[in-house]
Amino acid sequence: MNAMIKEHNKMRINSLLGVMLAIFIIGILSGCKNLTPVEASRSAADDTRMLISRNVSDEVRAKKLIEIVNELEKELETYNEKQVAHNKIIVAKNANFDASSNEMKALYDAFNEDTLTMYRLIAETHMKMKTLATEEEWAFISRPKNRIGGY
């Protein structure tokens, strides 16, 4: 019975870390139902930290994994703040009848570049976390169906 519970908990942490990337991309970059992007990233990070603490027995690796989650959470918060400010600029420029096509294009290009930079950071974070996990832990991390909250 204890082995089943331990395996279930391992599956949950592996799922969280693997799916955290999808959550950040989908939830943060496009918004979550009933959650703001900041709330969604905090929730995913909180879940991930809790499951790392409970299921990664090597305290050194667990601490490093949690540090990576904390760093990504901060980066996403900064990204979200920039995107909110950028959206306001785009709305204001769009309301200006005299705004040129080139001005609008430049604003959208900057917005898209920020998003691409965030995608790259998420991919790098994914690989950092994967190198710290054992094969067994990573197999568990990458199973989305075990994600707490079903995301």
Side-chain angles (χ1 to χ4, degrees), residues 24-127:
F24 286 140
I25 291 169
I26 295 166
I28 305 310
L29 302 181
S30 66
C32 281
K33 185 178 182 180
N34 299 326
L35 292 178
T36 68
V38 171
E39 291 168 337
S41 65
R42 284 183 186 151
S43 177
D46 288 345
D47 286 351
T48 303
R49 285 188 287 263
M50 179 213 38
L51 288 173
I52 290 169
S53 296
R54 288 184 180 173
N55 295 287
V56 176
S57 59
D58 180 338
E59 290 183 26
V60 173
R61 285 188 308 109
K63 183 178 178 183
K64 287 179 182 177
L65 286 165
I66 289 171
E67 287 172 0
I68 292 169
V69 171
N70 293 343
E71 290 170 17
L72 182 59
E73 184 181 28
K74 288 177 190 172
E75 289 291 334
L76 285 164
E77 188 170 317
T78 300
Y79 169 80
N80 286 324
E81 290 170 0
K82 281 179 70 175
Q83 293 306 307
V84 167
H86 203 94
N87 283 334
K88 288 179 183 178
I89 293 168
I90 289 173
V91 168
K93 184 61 83 172
N94 190 47
N96 179 353
F97 186 79
D98 294 326
S100 71
S101 175
N102 286 338
E103 290 173 311
M104 294 303 295
K105 184 181 179 305
L107 287 172
Y108 282 113
D109 285 349
F111 182 90
N112 290 335
E113 185 59 37
D114 287 346
T115 300
L116 183 58
T117 299
M118 192 76 250
Y119 279 126
R120 288 180 182 138
L121 178 64
I122 290 168
E124 290 169 13
T125 300
H126 171 87
M127 293 310 297

Side-chain angles (χ1 to χ4, degrees), residues 7 10-22 48 52 55-56 61 65 68-69 122-144 146:
E7 180 61 26
K10 283 182 182 180
M11 289 184 347
R12 287 174 57 199
I13 189 171
N14 290 331
S15 174
L16 273 176
L17 294 175
V19 173
M20 184 170 72
L21 299 175
T48 303
I52 290 169
N55 295 287
V56 176
R61 285 188 308 109
L65 286 165
I68 292 169
V69 171
I122 290 168
E124 290 169 13
T125 300
H126 171 87
M127 293 310 297
K128 265 195 234 181
M129 293 177 81
K130 188 175 178 180
T131 61
L132 287 172
T134 65
E135 186 175 342
E136 179 183 85
E137 290 167 341
W138 193 253
F140 177 73
I141 290 167
S142 63
R143 291 187 195 132
N146 297 312

